[in-house]
Amino acid sequence: MSQAVPETVGTSSGRQRSQRLTVTAIVVLALLAASYAINAADRQVFPVLLSSITQHYGFSLTEGGFLATIFTLGIGLGGIPAGRLADRLSRKSMMVFGIAIYSAFTILTPLAFGFADMAAYRTLSGVGESLQNAALFSAVGAYFYTRRSLALGALNVSYGIGGALGPLIGARLFTASGSWSLPLYVFGVVGFLFVLGILLVVDKGFTEAKDTGRAPPATSAERSQLPATLRNRNSVILCLTCAAAGLSLYSYLGLYPTFLQSELGLSVNDAGLAASMFGIGSLVASIPAGYLGDRYGNRIIIQLSFLCAIIVGALMFMAANTVAEQTALSFLEGAFGSGFVYVNLYAALQRSVRPSLVGRASGAFVTCFFLPSAFAGYLFAELVKSTGWAGATVVQLMLFPLIGAILMAFARLPEPAARTHLATRTATTG
């Protein structure tokens, strides 16, 4: 594909062919993004059902908090191996295999006998999610390398859609059927339908694209100066920042519906509505987050977003009491946490290494973001028991984002490719 383009540049047939390729890429991106929405829905529906699940099995708050975020242990453990595989094997096959794994274990979750096997199912579903995540973000980041942050932001919009629809649909299915098992069965089956769709529709020319050799001359020399290994200053700083972000964000995701129901007395439907606004916030913010990251650089966007998240977290767990206030704050948490921070951290880590290491950078992001997240719900629950919701909020929703903002002050990130390319074109035409 990359060899044919120069031969037809400037011709009518070349432009038509380029347009067809662009349309095809967008269609494929839309299908893959939709499959990622199911990934998000699987994650977000469980906390809404958690109160009923803990009552059914007799779990404690700490056990429930652990189950709400333990799937991120599987994501974290699978991240680095998945990233290495994404640089060596078919990304399409990895996506399909990953979706099949987490869909199967989502279906198995309601069949659990108790805490141990449910924790195992949740952890193994996370392994499947890590395979899909590393392969999907590597493929999209490589294919749309000049607008990497924007493309990853567009992909993360689907997470927002799934994060919004998961709690809403899950709550409605639960109230209509009286069964907390039904939503999990439904999302698991839909995941297998996407496996079939990807196998039939997605071409490997998209998923296996490499940005090496496709970069404009102005960025080729710059990229050759990037570290040839993940063991470099920027990558270490970014990985530590990912850990701080994951510990903060997943403490909210894991126990927020429980807080709304047990502390504020909201119904399951109201809690589901408030929790779904996290996904809406991610949906609305992801593309602007990517655009601003490409325009002004990832570091400043990440720092400002962390500071905004601190304010939102404090208001959410220490001040707001009504459904309206909580839905608004949950929206902002999704915008800053899953939109601005997640998208720009992912793009920054990919930009910090050479194109041949994009898969491994994606895997490192997955591990460093999600492995600490596995214990966020447990830690948050323990802090709630000893210090109350306010004390737990100070540690996990205020201190950890502050640490992340401070760490980013020491990062020295390269210029975004789109910004560098634009400057080169301006200088050339001028």
Side-chain angles (χ1 to χ4, degrees):
M1 183 185 300
S2 59
Q3 294 176 346
V5 173
E7 298 173 4
T8 56
V9 169
T11 67
S12 176
S13 61
R15 286 192 296 270
Q16 291 174 358
R17 181 175 182 274
S18 177
Q19 289 172 355
R20 288 197 300 270
L21 290 174
T22 301
V23 171
T24 300
I26 291 173
V27 170
V28 171
L29 177 61
L31 175 62
L32 295 177
S35 72
Y36 190 52
I38 297 302
N39 183 320
D42 276 357
R43 298 184 197 182
Q44 297 296 95
V45 71
F46 189 87
V48 174
L49 307 172
L50 185 59
S51 291
S52 299
I53 293 172
T54 53
Q55 290 176 13
H56 178 83
Y57 286 95
F59 297 149
S60 66
L61 177 65
T62 301
E63 289 174 325
F66 184 77
L67 288 172
T69 57
I70 189 59
F71 74 94
T72 62
L73 176 63
I75 298 179
L77 291 175
I80 290 179
R84 290 184 175 275
L85 290 174
D87 282 334
R88 298 179 181 180
L89 303 179
S90 165
R91 293 168 182 164
K92 176 180 176 179
S93 298
M94 284 183 59
M95 290 179 209
V96 167
F97 192 44
I99 296 170
I101 290 176
Y102 73 67
S103 297
F105 284 105
T106 295
I107 292 173
L108 285 174
T109 297
L111 304 177
F113 292 103
F115 176 81
D117 56 337
M118 184 176 289
Y121 296 152
R122 294 279 293 158
T123 302
L124 290 170
S125 72
V127 173
E129 292 183 21
S130 72
L131 292 174
Q132 184 199 17
N133 189 304
L136 180 57
F137 277 76
S138 296
V140 172
Y143 194 91
F144 298 102
Y145 76 97
T146 58
R147 294 287 184 181
R148 193 187 302 272
S149 297
L150 183 60
L152 297 188
L155 185 61
N156 208 48
V157 166
S158 62
Y159 177 89
I161 294 173
L165 294 180
L168 283 176
I169 294 174
R172 296 301 185 272
L173 289 173
F174 169 74
T175 54
S177 65
S179 170
W180 59 266
S181 303
L182 182 62
L184 298 172
Y185 290 140
V186 169
F187 287 121
V189 170
V190 172
F192 279 109
L193 294 178
F194 273 102
V195 167
L196 182 61
I198 292 172
L199 286 173
L200 295 176
V201 175
V202 176
D203 186 271
K204 287 188 176 181
F206 179 96
T207 58
E208 316 313 317
K210 304 288 184 182
D211 61 13
T212 12
R214 301 190 300 123
T219 63
S220 296
E222 181 181 295
R223 287 177 176 223
S224 68
Q225 299 174 10
L226 290 172
T229 173
L230 279 173
R231 301 185 190 92
N232 63 79
R233 170 196 175 97
N234 283 331
S235 295
V236 171
I237 290 173
L238 289 167
C239 284
L240 291 173
T241 306
C242 287
L247 278 168
S248 177
L249 188 61
Y250 274 85
S251 62
Y252 153 80
L253 288 173
L255 286 177
Y256 181 57
T258 299
F259 165 76
L260 295 177
Q261 294 173 69
S262 64
E263 193 71 9
L264 301 185
L266 301 188
S267 68
V268 173
N269 284 337
D270 285 340
L273 173 63
S276 72
M277 294 305 293
F278 171 86
I280 299 294
S282 175
L283 187 159
V284 171
S286 289
I287 289 180
Y291 171 79
L292 292 173
D294 285 334
R295 180 68 178 83
Y296 298 105
N298 301 120
R299 184 178 68 173
I300 186 64
I301 301 300
I302 293 168
Q303 288 179 301
L304 291 174
S305 301
F306 270 135
L307 296 178
C308 291
I310 291 172
I311 298 172
V312 171
L315 292 174
M316 183 182 296
F317 284 91
M318 300 167 67
N321 294 311
T322 68
V323 176
E325 291 171 339
Q326 287 294 339
T327 53
L329 290 169
S330 184
F331 172 89
L332 293 174
E333 182 72 16
F336 293 121
S338 181
F340 282 89
V341 171
Y342 187 90
V343 168
N344 281 282
L345 269 178
Y346 218 138
L349 193 50
Q350 287 190 1
R351 283 190 172 119
S352 295
V353 298
R354 295 182 182 181
S356 59
L357 297 176
V358 164
R360 270 163 276 194
S362 297
F365 174 90
V366 171
T367 291
C368 295
F369 189 92
F370 289 105
L371 190 57
S373 302
F375 306 98
Y378 175 84
L379 177 60
F380 199 48
E382 286 296 302
L383 287 170
V384 169
K385 287 165 58 178
S386 59
T387 65
W389 289 100
T393 298
V394 169
V395 175
Q396 288 194 245
L397 274 80
M398 299 177 71
L399 177 60
F400 285 134
L402 180 61
I403 291 172
I406 293 172
L407 284 170
M408 288 303 300
F410 297 95
R412 298 293 179 267
L413 303 179
E415 286 286 319
R419 185 173 174 180
T420 305
H421 187 37
L422 179 61
T424 303
R425 289 180 58 188
T426 303
T428 302
T429 55

